[in-house]
């Protein structure tokens, strides 16, 4: 039976491997990275690396699952609150921005890797968390539209546009200041206003 200390040591080793792999993946891409390079970056021998992860794909999957699961779990308290839809949506975006801003390199990799995934690829383990997160945001947008709190536009289009602005807002910031809820509200409001304006003829 594993002691608490052994469990902590095992978890610490896995985290070192995942962090090392993330750095190698970002520098060389997942396709070009090798298990040798991951082991070296993590400061372990290959035997330790293979003990925890039998392949590079398993390491990549672990990074993706951990990141998307963290984002999904972070919004649980907000989802179960009694805030109206618009406030719920803005608070979720703020919470996600806080988490992403604390580890920009990691989550930029996650988002980019998710976008590059081929549609023909078998659905990966982490995809369920991503889909649940997006489905939840979409549901809140629909509730907000029904309540007259958001512009009556196609919610899928709204979510896609907001996602692009959110990505730009978080990853291109140079001041490292905290993204505020009022800032997010201002950006979302202006974006929805632009989307609702008829295109010029």
């Amino acid at each position: 039976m594993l002691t608490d200390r052994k469990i902590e040591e095992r978890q610490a080793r896995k985290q070192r491997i995942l962090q090392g792999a993330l750095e190698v993946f970002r520098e060389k891409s997942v396709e070009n990275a090798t298990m040798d390079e991951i082991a070296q970056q993590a400061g372990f021998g290959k035997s330790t690396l293979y003990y925890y992860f039998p392949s590079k794909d398993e390491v990549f999957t672990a990074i993706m699952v951990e990141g998307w699961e963290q984002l999904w779990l972070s919004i649980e308290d907000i989802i179960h609150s009694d805030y109206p839809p618009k406030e719920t949506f803005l608070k979720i975006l703020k919470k996600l921005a806080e988490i992403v801003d604390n580890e920009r390199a990691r989550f930029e990799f996650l988002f980019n890797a998710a976008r590059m995934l081929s549609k023909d690829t078998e659905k990966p383990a982490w995809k369920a968390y991503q889909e649940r997160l997006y489905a939840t945001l979409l549901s809140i947008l629909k509730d907000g539209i029904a309540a007259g709190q958001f512009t009556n536009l196609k919610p899928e289009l709204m979510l896609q546009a907001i996602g692009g602005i959110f990505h730009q807002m978080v990853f291109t910031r140079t001041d490292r200041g905290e993204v505020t809820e009022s800032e997010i509200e201002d950006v979302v409001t202006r974006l929805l206003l632009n989307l609702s304006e008829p295109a010029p003829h």
Side-chain angles (χ1 to χ4, degrees):
M1 182 177 177
L2 291 175
T3 63
D4 289 344
R5 180 179 176 183
K6 285 291 185 182
I7 293 174
E8 290 176 2
E9 289 174 351
R10 176 178 288 184
Q11 186 61 26
R13 291 190 196 100
K14 289 179 71 173
Q15 287 303 314
R16 277 180 58 186
I17 291 171
L18 295 181
Q19 184 58 43
L22 178 60
E23 293 173 16
V24 174
F25 289 160
R26 290 183 64 240
E27 180 181 349
K28 298 200 168 185
S29 81
V30 177
E31 294 77 13
N32 296 325
T34 67
M35 290 291 271
D36 282 337
E37 291 167 335
I38 294 172
Q40 183 177 7
Q41 184 67 41
F44 290 122
K46 283 180 66 177
S47 59
T48 299
L49 176 58
Y50 279 107
Y51 178 82
Y52 291 103
F53 300 100
S55 69
K56 180 176 66 175
D57 288 343
E58 291 288 335
V59 180
F60 171 72
T61 297
I63 290 173
M64 297 294 286
V65 167
E66 186 178 78
W68 284 103
E69 182 182 28
Q70 180 183 356
L71 292 176
W72 168 248
L73 293 176
S74 73
I75 69 171
E76 181 176 7
D77 289 343
I78 302 173
I79 291 298
H80 295 307
S81 69
D82 294 325
Y83 300 118
K86 182 177 180 180
E87 191 173 354
T88 299
F89 189 81
L90 295 175
K91 286 185 179 297
I92 287 176
L93 291 186
K94 184 177 187 302
K95 171 57 71 174
L96 296 179
E98 288 174 356
I99 293 173
V100 169
D101 194 49
N102 285 333
E103 297 182 80
R104 284 195 196 187
R106 176 187 178 211
F107 284 102
E108 187 168 24
F109 172 81
L110 253 69
F111 293 161
N112 289 335
R115 284 203 302 267
M116 290 186 295
L117 182 70
S118 171
K119 293 183 179 179
D120 297 328
T121 305
E122 183 178 348
K123 184 175 174 179
W126 53 266
K127 191 72 174 175
Y129 291 109
Q130 184 194 53
E131 290 178 347
R132 288 161 71 184
L133 178 60
Y134 289 168
T136 299
L137 290 172
L138 193 62
S139 176
I140 296 169
L141 279 177
K142 290 178 179 179
D143 288 345
I145 292 172
Q149 296 176 357
F150 289 120
T151 304
N152 189 14
L153 295 171
K154 188 175 180 181
E156 292 82 3
L157 172 63
M158 292 168 59
L159 185 58
Q160 183 179 4
I162 291 169
I165 295 296
F166 175 83
H167 189 277
Q168 182 180 9
M169 181 192 306
V170 174
F171 291 118
T172 62
R173 290 175 70 87
T174 57
D175 60 7
R176 300 296 293 173
E178 178 181 298
V179 178
T180 65
E181 192 170 327
S182 61
E183 180 182 359
I184 293 173
E185 181 175 13
D186 180 59
V187 170
V188 169
T189 300
R190 285 189 284 112
L191 174 65
L192 296 183
L193 179 62
N194 290 334
L195 286 175
S196 63
E197 290 177 348
H201 297 289

